[in-house]
Amino acid sequence: MKIKNFQAMYPFEGYVIESVNCHSVGIQIKLRRDARRALRCPDCEAGMAFNREREITAYDLSCGGGPVVEIRYPSIQGYCSCCGSYKTIRPKEIHPRRKATWRLMRFVSLLARFVPMSAMMSLVEVPAATAWRYDKDVLEADLPQPDLDGIESLLVDEKAVRRGHGYVTLVLNGDTGELLHLHEGKKKASLEVFFERLSDEQKASIKAVCIDRSGAYRAVIEEQLPDAEIVFDKFHLLQNLGKVVDKVRCEENRRASLEEVPLFIGQRFNLLRHPENLTEKNSASLDKLLAANETLHRVYLLKDQFRLVWTYQMPGWARRQLKGWIEMARETGIEPLVRFAKGVERDIEQIVSWCKHRITNGRIEGFNSIISRVLFKARGIRSIDYLFLKLRQESLLQT
Ligand SMILES: [Zn+2]
């Protein structure tokens, strides 16, 4: 094969192929600088005086499915009198520090979306730790900066990233799903740093923010965005109510007579699931329990009615429905439910504001699987920056 043909497959600007050696272990391509080109400063384009030359080895994509290709090239140091410093010339297709071409790094980064880092060695002869660095460099170079202009709504939530402890605060654009911010911790300060990056004009365009009502974020939002409406997240509220149902189930189970106890077996998820998601068998077994236990029956019906709030178009109708619901919950006298209803009454405006803005943190819940995948692939998270880049990449691909 003529060297010219290789030149088409392995083009390096300002360099030409001097030799191609095909060994059993792989292909080695030797480059030299194109002598027709004058030595120019990579920063200011002014002519430079030659200082010294060093041979460097880098890796590139394989040829015809073989092993990775080794590229040897001279990096040339010259003195730029315009910049007043020494400058190095190397092919722009090769990363200045990683000893790899950008296209090899981008290929590894693409693979990293689908396979674990530990598989990179057998797929592209790149060790896991190196692949991890390639992926991070590529994402840093290729992902656009977060778009902070014209945001109309935000989703804010915390996520556990390490078992037991270790949280991050996430901020997404509520309309596009773009991940805008990720910061360690779930405290006020973890969110405040996000608002520090916004101009007054950028803040003013935000009309609504969806959060969980139990977190530390509410105070920050009220302080930073006094005109925005807070929407309490549907999924967190339903989860809170689920806990109430579970608590009542435990209490009733404890109090149950010997004949009643078997009715409780395996009912935990039957009670928590929406009725339309139950199998016929589970539904029949739940009916038996509810027929035998009046307290659970009442809690279960109220649980099912609560989510009607999120079917209304008008806040007024939702408010009326919710007020009626609070009254019914109170009348049951079932302590955990009464306490929940009290909280709902206090937060009624932040719950019905959903009808106007129609935002939930469902998109953030969708990150759970990506977070565990990223953590698994990267063998535990070593860098919060990397987690941000990975989640941001996914959030941009989903929009
Ligand atoms: Zn210069």
Side-chain angles (χ1 to χ4, degrees), residues 7 23 28 32 38 52 64 72 84 86 95 97 107 112 133 151 180 197 201 207 221 227 247 268 304 321 349 399:
Q7 193 96 41
H23 307 286
Q28 191 189 75
R32 65 175 158 77
R52 64 189 168 97
R72 294 213 171 170
Y86 289 99
H95 190 280
R97 294 183 316 279
F107 184 57
R133 264 180 230 117
I151 299 169
L180 304 169
R197 285 160 55 206
E201 194 189 339
K207 302 278 179 287
I221 293 159
D227 297 326
K247 204 165 175 194
R268 180 160 187 248
D304 203 36
Q321 201 274 342
E349 288 313 311
T399 54

Side-chain angles (χ1 to χ4, degrees), residues 301-319:
L301 288 178
L302 282 165
K303 184 206 93 169
D304 203 36
Q305 273 171 28
F306 186 66
R307 54 187 176 125
L308 289 178
V309 179
W310 290 281
T311 59
Y312 288 96
Q313 307 277 332
M314 311 287 282
W317 287 94
R319 193 180 295 111

Side-chain angles (χ1 to χ4, degrees), residues 36 48 218 227 298 305-306 326 359 388 393:
R36 289 165 301 180
M48 285 201 307
R218 184 177 180 171
D227 297 326
R298 291 167 84 184
Q305 273 171 28
F306 186 66
I326 293 165
I359 45 175
F388 175 63
Q393 178 188 34

Side-chain angles (χ1 to χ4, degrees), residues 255-288:
R255 262 187 244 157
S257 64
L258 267 174
E259 308 87 80
E260 275 176 351
V261 165
L263 290 175
F264 282 86
I265 295 168
Q267 298 283 16
R268 180 160 187 248
F269 290 103
N270 292 344
L271 280 161
L272 295 180
R273 264 187 207 128
H274 297 322
E276 63 271 22
N277 297 337
L278 287 181
T279 62
E280 227 167 277
K281 191 173 154 242
N282 288 343
S283 177
S285 123
L286 181 61
D287 284 347
K288 267 190 208 156

Side-chain angles (χ1 to χ4, degrees), residues 13-57:
E13 205 187 291
Y15 284 74
V16 289
I17 293 179
E18 188 174 79
S19 64
V20 177
N21 289 306
C22 299
H23 307 286
S24 59
V25 289
I27 298 173
Q28 191 189 75
I29 296 176
K30 216 169 165 207
L31 306 178
R32 65 175 158 77
R33 242 187 79 73
D34 188 344
R36 289 165 301 180
R37 294 216 182 193
L39 217 56
R40 292 198 178 280
C41 168
D43 294 330
C44 74
E45 297 274 302
M48 285 201 307
F50 175 87
N51 182 44
R52 64 189 168 97
E53 189 176 302
R54 213 151 57 98
E55 194 181 58
I56 308 240
T57 304

